Amino acid sequence: MKNIVLIGGHDETFTHFGDLPLTFTVVQLEGSIGPNLRALTDDIRPVGDFEVETVVEVVGAILADKRVDHVFSFTEDGLLPTAVAASRLGLPGMSESSCRLCVDKRMMRDHLRGTEFAVASVICANAADVRAFLHENPAGLVLKRPTGSGSEDVFVIHDEDDLVRAVKVLGGEQFSMLAEEYLPGREVSLETLTIDGRHRLLTVTDKTLHPGALAEARHIVTPDVVDSGTRERLAEFCTRLLTLIGHEHGPCHIELKLDGDRIRLIEINNRVGGDYVGLLAELTTGVSMFRETIRFFAGEPEPTGAQGDYEFASSHLFYEPVDPDVLRANLVDVDIHRLHIGAAAPERHGPVINDDKIGWVVFAARDRAAFDKAIEYLRNEFL
């Protein structure tokens, strides 16, 4: 039986693998070893961090102790260390080159320069550099950390006032930030799954931002997020993009702008989308990106004709406290799959970011009217 080494992951991730004819060795942060992981395997290797050298060392120790057939990670902090470990130790695993492209936004932009996926961009060391780039791109720019994630330290700049505010948050005139041309249009995200080099578009997700911020507030998957022709063009776009960056196996979360007939790339991450977007894909397509990624190594045939239990699904994120019982009472016509509300966040001194969320609800429906009613309630009360 093949042994798969997994690096990290939310405890819920490990529920997807229990019936597979595989054994698992899991490297996990000391404080994140949960009941689902313990139910999956007894071979858990605790670590204090997912730094590259830590992961290389512990995977090397596993290799000295037992057979390793594949090394993989589904958690953002573990992706590149896992790929580096596989490369250094000569193990089957994630592509280090494609991982580096997805982690380093500047490297990705350089790699895509001159292609259909290109976006004007430059590294800025100070406010003067940003002003110069804004002069070249008067429609605006997005300023972000080259290796950042989520909405932290991401700024949309249209004028001098926006720039002054961004510099103040960054703490001074000297910095290293990636400036990209601002892309007009409607933003959507795509969940793709690549199995042994074969790419598949699973879902197109409509995204709503928190008012006055870049933090995500809501994700919706329905059959009509885009029309069939647009979906086909998006699928072809993804196939060309994933092939170009050398992505060979596993999920990707791709953020795009649709501007008329144009498809413009915001960024790509070689992982399942956050905020339970992966669950929305599973509910509406019947495909677990976690399970299918790993199931391939069991040598089982790829399933055909998978279908989801629902046509409509959504996740809504909360940045302020709300009574869960109130949510349940107003969402009685849809099926709630996840509901968690935590304690109030500390006082903020600026726009909310993704990490400020304190809770979420994930629900799905087969009936459009029931789904629209739930969406309307959440829109009116919390957006």
Side-chain angles (χ1 to χ4, degrees):
M1 191 176 292
K2 291 182 178 180
N3 183 50
I4 307 299
V5 174
L6 297 177
I7 310 300
H10 295 294
D11 195 55
E12 188 173 319
T13 302
F14 303 112
T15 63
H16 294 262
F17 313 129
D19 63 339
L20 293 176
L22 300 163
T23 62
F24 292 89
T25 302
V26 179
V27 180
Q28 183 62 297
L29 297 175
E30 294 165 347
S32 300
I33 300 174
N36 292 317
L37 172 53
R38 294 188 187 280
L40 177 68
T41 180
D42 294 327
D43 192 355
I44 303 170
R45 311 294 175 104
V47 294
D49 58 65
F50 288 143
E51 297 297 325
V52 168
E53 295 307 323
T54 301
V55 173
V56 170
E57 181 179 356
V58 72
V59 174
I62 295 168
L63 184 60
D65 181 49
K66 65 197 310 184
R67 173 176 170 171
V68 174
D69 291 285
H70 202 85
V71 186
F72 207 88
S73 179
F74 291 100
T75 189
E76 190 165 15
D77 291 343
L79 295 172
L80 183 57
T82 300
V84 172
S87 178
R88 288 190 190 178
L89 299 171
L91 294 170
M94 308 173 76
S95 164
E96 181 178 352
S97 60
S98 65
C99 270
R100 288 193 181 279
L101 287 173
C102 291
V103 169
D104 190 322
K105 297 175 177 62
R106 179 187 185 182
M107 186 181 295
M108 179 68 81
R109 289 305 186 195
D110 288 343
H111 184 76
L112 299 178
R113 202 174 302 279
T115 72
E116 65 180 296
F117 313 106
V119 170
S121 64
V122 67
I123 290 291
C124 296
N126 50 51
D129 290 346
V130 180
R131 286 191 189 93
F133 189 77
L134 182 60
H135 181 73
E136 297 171 1
N137 297 272
L141 62 88
V142 177
L143 196 64
K144 61 177 73 171
R145 295 202 179 277
T147 57
S149 61
S151 57
E152 186 172 10
D153 289 344
V154 179
F155 309 93
V156 176
I157 296 175
H158 291 289
D159 53 35
E160 181 68 20
D161 289 343
D162 290 339
L163 175 56
V164 170
R165 283 191 288 268
V167 170
K168 183 178 180 180
V169 173
L170 292 172
E173 285 283 325
Q174 298 299 315
F175 44 73
S176 179
M177 299 287 285
L178 177 65
E180 300 177 341
E181 64 173 300
Y182 178 79
L183 302 177
R186 173 193 174 200
E187 184 172 345
V188 298
S189 64
L190 313 181
E191 304 308 306
T192 67
L193 181 62
T194 300
I195 301 297
D196 196 27
R198 289 169 288 123
H199 311 300
R200 177 183 175 188
L201 172 61
L202 293 177
T203 57
V204 183
T205 305
D206 189 58
K207 182 166 72 174
T208 301
L209 298 181
H210 190 279
L214 295 176
E216 296 174 1
R218 184 181 65 197
H219 304 272
I220 294 177
V221 175
T222 67
D224 55 356
V225 169
V226 294
D227 61 59
S228 59
T230 301
R231 183 184 174 92
E232 183 175 343
R233 291 195 301 117
L234 288 172
E236 294 168 352
F237 181 94
C238 289
T239 294
R240 296 191 298 271
L241 173 62
L242 294 170
T243 301
L244 181 60
I245 70 170
H247 182 68
E248 299 170 347
H249 194 82
C252 275
H253 175 72
I254 305 173
E255 297 176 355
L256 304 171
K257 282 285 188 77
L258 302 179
D259 182 21
D261 291 334
R262 299 190 71 187
I263 303 173
R264 305 297 304 278
L265 176 67
I266 298 174
E267 61 184 49
I268 176 171
N269 300 281
N270 58 329
R271 56 171 173 78
V272 176
D275 302 329
Y276 282 110
V277 172
L279 178 57
L280 302 186
E282 184 175 353
L283 291 169
T284 54
T285 68
V287 176
S288 162
M289 288 182 276
F290 300 105
R291 177 182 171 79
E292 291 307 309
T293 296
I294 300 303
R295 197 177 73 88
F296 170 78
F297 303 111
E300 296 182 348
E302 191 170 344
T304 58
Q307 291 185 334
D309 292 329
Y310 302 91
E311 282 195 285
F312 312 97
S314 177
S315 64
H316 189 102
L317 313 176
F318 297 95
Y319 294 86
E320 302 292 344
V322 58
D323 186 344
D325 289 335
V326 171
L327 292 175
R328 293 188 186 96
N330 285 278
L331 299 175
V332 292
D333 296 325
V334 295
D335 294 339
I336 297 176
H337 288 264
R338 301 289 187 277
L339 174 56
H340 169 80
I341 304 295
E347 183 180 358
R348 290 184 293 266
H349 300 283
V352 298
I353 62 174
N354 283 357
D355 287 346
D356 290 331
K357 64 179 174 284
I358 62 169
W360 50 82
V361 61
V362 180
F363 60 91
R366 299 176 184 88
D367 177 70
R368 184 67 192 244
F371 183 75
D372 287 347
K373 179 182 176 182
I375 291 296
E376 187 68 15
Y377 161 72
L378 292 168
R379 178 190 297 117
N380 291 338
E381 293 294 325
F382 303 107
L383 287 180

